[in-house]
Amino acid sequence: MHAPPPSSGLHHLELWTADLAVSEPAWHWLMTTLGWRAGRVEGWELGRIWRHADGSYLVLEQSEDVRGEHAERRAPGMNHLALRVRDRELLDRVRREAPGHGWQELFAEHYPHAGGGGHTAWYAEDPHGIEVELVAGP
């Protein structure tokens, strides 16, 4: 008999957007650049999925239950999503290319150490204000 695996890691994260047609291209570019595989659910036109090799996945969905047009990271709820990147080279590439894909950099004057001297990261918002932090290194 096998013991169940320990509880750990992320199973999935679901993000709601006010307009999938606006936000999906930005997320698709980012997630596939980071090595996540894009997937679709047949018959679900208002949702997109990207899967990581570890089995976790991210969902982006437009729902009629969404309130407002813009995320507010300073309000109660999720402040931002932080993802690991392979290395500083990829982090720099994402930073260079991101504006052309709908991402607005945050804390640019402090890149790559806006999170502190020993923390190498890039911060940005998608077209609807959802913040992402990409962390290079351990």
Side-chain angles (χ1 to χ4, degrees), residues 1-5:
M1 222 172 173
H2 292 88

Side-chain angles (χ1 to χ4, degrees), residues 43-108:
W44 188 35
E45 296 307 313
L46 295 178
R48 301 293 182 268
I49 297 175
W50 293 271
R51 298 182 187 281
H52 189 272
D54 69 4
S56 62
Y57 60 95
L58 183 134
V59 174
L60 183 66
E61 179 181 8
Q62 178 179 326
S63 170
E64 61 188 40
D65 292 328
V66 168
R67 296 184 201 155
E69 298 293 318
H70 194 78
E72 177 48 69
R73 63 186 170 81
R74 292 163 293 203
M78 186 178 81
N79 177 269
H80 68 278
L81 169 64
L83 300 168
R84 293 182 192 277
V85 298
R86 173 180 67 237
D87 54 31
R88 173 70 188 270
E89 182 179 338
L90 179 57
L91 191 68
D92 290 341
R93 180 180 143 214
V94 168
R95 183 182 191 225
R96 277 191 314 273
E97 297 176 7
H101 295 278
W103 292 94
Q104 180 179 352
E105 184 171 6
L106 301 171
F107 322 118

